Amino acid sequence: MSRPTIADLRARTDLGEQLALLTAYDSAFARLAESAGIDLLLVGDSVGPTMLGLPSAIPVTMDDMLHHTRAVVRATERAHVICDLPFMAYHCSEDEAVRNAGRALQEAGAQSVKFEGGARWVPFVQRCVDAGIPVMGHLGPRGGQSSLTHGITTDRAMAHATRQLVDDATTLEGTGVWALLLERLPQEIAQAITAAVRIPTIGIGSGPHCRGQAQVMHDVLGLVGNTRPPHAVRYAELGETVREAFATFATDAKAGRLHERLE
Ligand code: KIV
């Protein structure tokens, strides 16, 4: 079985199917996610805080992203793998941006790249599309829209934010972005964007009206302690299960009775 192309994914959402996107950063969990039926695996720049012990995604480099994307691609064959372009991968020059996007496909085997931001990135998206690089957009506080969406208290502010974000979304769709990740947008805005575009909209913390839903793997699995964001849905408490397994092993090893478990 081959990986779905962006046309396959679009055809599925056109028929009303909802897509499931999960972040993935390594082979073992990517394989499990694919076998569980996850459609889209996003190697997110959240690899910084989740896997690399970094305080945020800011220090994550393009080389980090390629390294983790390769691991996810190697372990899977049916999922559509998206490589997040990290901070500074597309901010300095268009040439460098397109080259970095191309590296995600050529050197890591990703099917798409994702970038954060609105219509001001049209020239970069256009160059990627011209080069045949599928691009997912990402609208939300991290994409420079925080001043628009932060603490909307009046109808006027809501109307302004909605107009601006719908404009960004339709402009990006017009340039050839194949899908949009909508992160932590008020659900009215995510609904308005979804109604205004035909491409898949994948929401994370943006309400039920998108054409798919996303979660960060470590939140879903309960691997992040008590610091999960409000939109995170926890389906397991693996952190506690893993800690207990490690503690039992440590006790066995220190007591010299590990071999008893083999018998
Ligand atoms: O990097 C990431 O984890 C993201 C999330 C919003 C899905 O982009």
Side-chain angles (χ1 to χ4, degrees):
M1 189 164 196
S2 58
R3 298 180 192 273
T5 63
I6 57 176
D8 298 331
L9 293 163
R10 168 71 183 273
R12 283 163 57 185
T13 54
D14 280 350
L15 289 172
E17 190 181 327
Q18 289 272 322
L19 299 176
L21 179 153
L22 200 56
T23 63
Y25 317 101
D26 72 332
S27 290
F29 282 97
R31 189 175 293 117
L32 288 169
E34 179 181 81
S35 69
I38 302 296
D39 307 295
L40 305 164
L41 293 176
L42 168 66
V43 187
D45 61 3
S46 52
V47 68
T50 54
M51 299 291 284
L52 302 177
L54 294 170
S56 74
I58 300 286
V60 174
T61 65
M62 192 65 213
D63 284 339
D64 292 331
M65 294 311 303
L66 295 176
H67 179 71
H68 287 272
T69 301
R70 280 187 205 105
V72 169
V73 168
R74 266 184 224 122
T76 56
E77 49 190 23
R78 295 189 305 278
H80 184 98
V81 179
I82 304 156
C83 174
D84 217 357
L85 296 177
F87 184 54
M88 283 297 138
Y90 53 96
H91 303 73
C92 298
S93 80
E94 260 170 51
D95 284 348
E96 191 186 3
V98 180
R99 197 164 298 119
N100 279 330
R103 290 182 74 196
L105 272 62
Q106 192 170 42
E107 295 179 34
Q111 281 71 61
S112 298
V113 295
K114 175 174 85 57
F115 80 102
E116 290 163 24
R120 78 183 178 96
W121 296 102
V122 158
F124 155 64
V125 174
Q126 187 64 65
R127 293 265 313 261
C128 286
V129 171
D130 289 348
I133 302 168
V135 182
M136 175 185 242
H138 179 165
L139 299 175
R142 292 197 302 161
Q145 286 96 2
S146 58
S147 56
L148 274 177
T149 54
H150 183 70
I152 293 175
T153 50
T154 62
D155 290 349
R156 196 184 148 97
M158 177 63 89
H160 174 66
T162 306
R163 219 171 20 249
Q164 182 65 57
L165 283 154
V166 167
D167 273 0
D168 277 337
T170 52
T171 303
L172 291 173
E173 177 183 44
T175 313
V177 155
W178 76 270
L180 282 169
L181 185 68
L182 305 181
E183 183 184 2
R184 284 184 290 141
L185 295 181
Q187 72 174 56
E188 299 86 329
I189 297 184
Q191 186 171 19
I193 292 173
T194 302
V197 299
R198 292 199 55 212
I199 53 178
T201 51
I202 314 288
I204 177 161
S206 300
H209 303 293
C210 301
R211 300 191 172 109
Q213 292 292 331
Q215 287 282 302
V216 169
M217 183 180 284
H218 283 48
D219 291 334
V220 164
L221 296 179
L223 286 169
V224 283
N226 293 321
T227 57
R228 66 180 191 262
H231 59 260
V233 184
R234 188 169 280 199
Y235 289 87
E237 294 292 347
L238 275 203
E240 197 40 38
T241 306
V242 169
R243 204 196 61 76
E244 275 169 24
F246 289 167
T248 309
F249 163 65
T251 307
D252 284 352
K254 290 175 202 221
R257 58 165 190 255
L258 188 66
H259 63 285
E260 290 170 21
R261 299 237 174 222
L262 298 169
E263 288 160 4

